[in-house]
Amino acid sequence: MTAPGTPIAVITGASSGIGAATARQLAAAGYRVVLTARRKDRIEALAAELDAAGHQATAYALDVTDRAAVDEFASAFRTLAVLVNNAGGALGADPVATGDPADWRQMFEVNVIGTLNMTQALLPALTASGDGTVVVLSSTAGHSTYEGGAGYVAAKNGARVLAETLRLEIVGTPVRVIEVAPGMVKTDEFATTRFRGDTDKAAKVYAGVAEPLSADDVADTITWACTRPPHVNIDLLVVRPRAQASNTKVHREL
Ligand SMILES: NC(=O)c1ccc[n+]([C@@H]2O[C@H](COP(=O)([O-])OP(=O)(O)OC[C@H]3O[C@@H](n4cnc5c(N)ncnc54)[C@H](OP(=O)(O)O)[C@@H]3O)[C@@H](O)[C@H]2O)c1
């Protein structure tokens, strides 16, 4: 049973990594969380875990790139407190000269169009809440480039620009826009997905880095930003591990 007035938070990509950790922390902060991702079994298991812990959680299988499905999902909400646009990721690490356009398209689809679909569809409910929050998970890749990263960097720049422009366009409405830009986060799937299941290549991303950020570290940042008083807009949080000074300057103890 949802207590009347319990604020609702929708989290995309809640089946793993930062999204799952954010769902746990927003639930603990008192939100009724709606977990979305394509892998239904995973979000159902997480919703059951949260329910068993006395929180309020619902799972809804959703591909953020499918606009019709997103619209159908959004039609269930008259009001919404928080939307966390977390679904996303990288594919490949090829130079511009040889990168696969299909990878670039796919990264743009999920990181940019997915965020656009969800934000457009849920903006009326966020506005109707009287105090809505849109979170966009960009990346430090959305702020500076690195060799082999152009496709992901381009997509995350798109997500950053979406957040910055939306903030300008909706000023004066009761919705704030928060961009969270993490650096190196060691999650179970991000690097493995990027390297298409090659776990050796994925492990090299974090090799020798004493303490990369964890999914919980980023979830903590997101939850903190969402729980500031409604008139406080944390425009942008850039969060890196101490061992990472820039996208290309990482201290490794090898
Ligand atoms: N890890 C890092 O170093 C890092 C750094 C900066 C920014 N980020 C960003 O933070 C976010 C989360 O990253 P993570 O490390 O937690 O990665 P992850 O564990 O690979 O999680 C990605 C999530 O996105 C979901 N997803 C992918 N495509 C989707 C689609 N079309 N529709 C709906 N959901 C989709 C996946 O769920 P399903 O497969 O079940 O759909 C999964 O839950 C991403 O946007 C990523 O780019 C990560």
Side-chain angles (χ1 to χ4, degrees):
M1 262 294 281
T2 303
T6 302
I8 304 171
V10 168
I11 301 111
T12 67
S15 59
S16 65
I18 295 167
T22 301
R24 287 192 175 93
Q25 292 198 27
L26 287 176
Y31 289 90
R32 180 192 145 203
V33 290
V34 180
L35 318 177
T36 72
R38 291 167 303 179
R39 286 171 294 176
K40 199 174 178 205
D41 53 333
R42 285 194 168 229
I43 49 175
E44 280 180 348
L46 179 53
E49 173 202 308
L50 292 171
D51 273 337
H55 302 307
Q56 300 168 42
T58 317
Y60 189 103
L62 185 63
D63 182 336
V64 293
T65 67
D66 180 343
R67 184 54 189 253
V70 168
D71 284 341
E72 194 185 332
F73 168 74
S75 68
F77 295 88
R78 273 184 298 114
T79 171
L80 178 66
V82 173
L83 165 63
V84 181
N85 285 300
N86 164 78
L91 267 187
D94 303 306
V96 173
T98 55
D100 185 344
D103 287 348
W104 283 55
R105 262 189 215 106
Q106 204 173 322
M107 286 189 276
F108 196 82
E109 273 293 322
V110 63
N111 291 289
V112 185
I113 304 299
T115 299
L116 179 70
N117 284 340
M118 292 297 292
T119 305
Q120 284 186 340
L122 287 165
L123 203 50
L126 288 156
T127 308
S129 76
D131 282 317
T133 299
V134 177
V135 178
V136 174
L137 255 288
S138 64
S139 167
T140 53
H143 293 262
S144 66
T145 195
Y146 56 95
E147 290 149 289
Y152 184 56
V153 167
K156 286 303 193 186
N157 266 275
R160 173 181 62 75
V161 167
L162 186 160
E164 282 183 5
T165 311
L166 179 66
R167 193 181 301 115
L168 294 171
E169 290 170 349
I170 64 171
V171 69
T173 73
V175 179
R176 58 187 174 177
V177 182
I178 297 169
E179 179 192 349
V180 176
M184 183 188 285
V185 191
K186 190 172 182 186
T187 54
D188 291 341
E189 298 186 2
F190 178 83
T192 314
T193 302
R194 180 171 211 164
F195 296 111
R196 296 182 172 81
D198 186 332
T199 48
D200 289 341
K201 270 191 184 168
K204 284 201 180 100
V205 172
Y206 310 104
V209 180
E211 260 186 302
L213 295 180
S214 67
D216 274 333
D217 292 326
V218 181
D220 179 49
T221 305
I222 294 167
T223 305
W224 176 81
C226 289
T227 52
R228 294 313 87 208
H231 70 286
V232 178
N233 195 133
I234 307 294
D235 281 11
L236 166 66
L237 279 164
V238 178
V239 198
R240 299 183 200 268
R242 191 173 58 192
Q244 184 184 34
S246 79
N247 288 347
T248 51
K249 179 85 177 170
V250 180
H251 178 69
R252 297 181 194 269
E253 290 166 9
L254 292 169

